[in-house]
Amino acid sequence: MTPHRTVIGVDGSLISVRALDWAAAEAVRHGGTLRVLYAVPDRDEAAPVLGYAASRVRARYPRLPVETVAAEGGTVRALARESADADLTVVGTRGLGALAGPALGSVSLRLAALARGPLLVVRGDHPCDDGRDVLLGLADDTDTTDTTEDKDDRAVAYAFQEAERRGARLRVLQFRGRRHITPEPPSLVPAREAAAEEAVPRFALAGPADRHPGVTVETRTVRAAAADELLAGTREAAVVVIGARRRTGRLGPRLGPVAHTLLRRAHCPVIVVPHG
């Protein structure tokens, strides 16, 4: 991965302009370059949109290096390629041309299934720098109980880094849903069971917490529908960070249910960190 590069996909729409503002603020936090991409059938069409984007960013952040690139072809594929060398790729939740049609799903959903690095999808309407918490969801398709290293470790690490960059508190929701269809007998040692469940998030967070001692962390373990709890939490969050385990379907890679729901309904921007 090329260090310190934030990539933003634009198309001249109001929504992509708002995503551009978020991407520029993130690029400043990361301390690197902002790369603005517009995918069009004819590269000559891109100059006005890219010129406006570069001017807007430079007016707000004069010291931020800005690159512009016109890519021929599809938006999703172009941004997926760019994501391989980016610290962060950013898109709005609508816009980006005809590719956002209902038959194929929105650009953000399709890109989240293909991006090779962290993807920020701008949702909600609160400002980028309003001091809210960073929310980390560890649930269902973002489970940390698997002992292999390349699981939610990336999402946890990214959430700590994002909280540190923002000077914000990190709130962690760990979900321990029942996987049995038939009712289970009540535990004879509920206190021991609860302690074991609480140990999972503490273990997963221990290393990153040591590496980011300035980040205040609040953890909560719940037994509830993961998407519902996370959606409620996004009302008061600056961003929500989730890991995404891609599943291969008939039409190609697709997201798990929690990531899919958040990308469609979250009240704040969503950062999707792929497992692999």
Side-chain angles (χ1 to χ4, degrees):
M1 176 180 290
T2 300
H4 313 310
R5 175 183 287 179
T6 299
V7 174
I8 169 68
V10 300
D11 65 357
S13 67
L14 290 177
I15 291 174
S16 78
V17 169
R18 182 161 183 270
L20 173 69
D21 292 345
W22 268 82
E26 289 291 341
V28 170
R29 291 192 189 96
H30 283 259
T33 299
L34 180 66
R35 185 171 171 87
V36 184
L37 180 144
Y38 185 20
V40 288
D42 183 348
R43 294 190 182 190
D44 292 338
E45 299 175 12
V49 171
L50 291 175
Y52 170 77
S55 297
R56 182 180 179 89
V57 172
R58 287 170 181 147
R60 295 186 172 205
Y61 305 103
R63 296 183 179 180
L64 176 64
V66 181
E67 303 172 350
T68 60
V69 56
E72 292 184 358
T75 301
V76 173
R77 293 291 178 183
L79 287 172
R81 287 194 301 269
E82 291 281 338
S83 71
D85 295 320
D87 287 344
L88 181 67
T89 304
V90 183
V91 292
T93 190
R94 291 288 185 272
L96 295 175
L99 287 174
L104 294 178
S106 70
V107 165
S108 58
L109 284 170
R110 295 170 58 209
L111 183 56
L114 294 172
R116 297 171 62 183
L119 172 71
L120 189 154
V121 178
V122 178
R123 295 188 52 84
D125 57 5
H126 59 254
C128 183
D129 298 299
D130 65 352
R132 301 185 189 214
D133 297 340
V134 172
L135 177 64
L136 170 63
L138 303 177
D140 292 343
D141 48 337
T142 61
D143 189 15
T144 57
T145 56
D146 194 312
T147 57
T148 58
E149 292 184 0
D150 193 23
K151 294 293 184 181
D152 259 332
D153 293 351
R154 291 188 178 184
V156 171
Y158 197 95
F160 270 89
Q161 293 163 7
E162 185 70 10
E164 185 172 70
R165 285 189 288 262
R166 288 174 170 270
R169 180 178 63 170
L170 176 61
R171 286 191 294 125
V172 183
L173 289 181
Q174 167 76 29
F175 296 89
R176 309 302 303 156
R178 299 290 187 183
R179 299 183 181 273
H180 301 278
I181 298 176
T182 57
E184 294 184 72
S187 172
L188 298 179
V189 283
R192 183 180 303 171
E193 182 182 72
E197 290 178 351
E198 290 291 346
V200 174
R202 285 200 299 269
F203 177 79
L205 302 175
D210 289 341
R211 292 189 292 273
H212 303 276
V215 175
T216 299
V217 182
E218 174 189 292
T219 63
R220 185 161 66 95
T221 301
V222 297
R223 287 188 181 278
D228 291 344
E229 284 284 337
L230 279 174
L231 281 175
T234 63
R235 292 184 182 275
E236 301 299 328
V239 293
V240 57
V241 180
I242 54 171
R245 184 175 295 120
R246 279 81 171 266
R247 297 168 170 82
T248 302
R250 183 170 54 88
L251 300 178
R254 60 188 179 88
L255 298 172
V258 174
H260 191 275
T261 299
L262 286 177
L263 288 173
R264 286 193 175 276
R265 298 172 55 196
H267 302 284
C268 71
V270 181
I271 300 177
V272 180
V273 182
H275 287 315

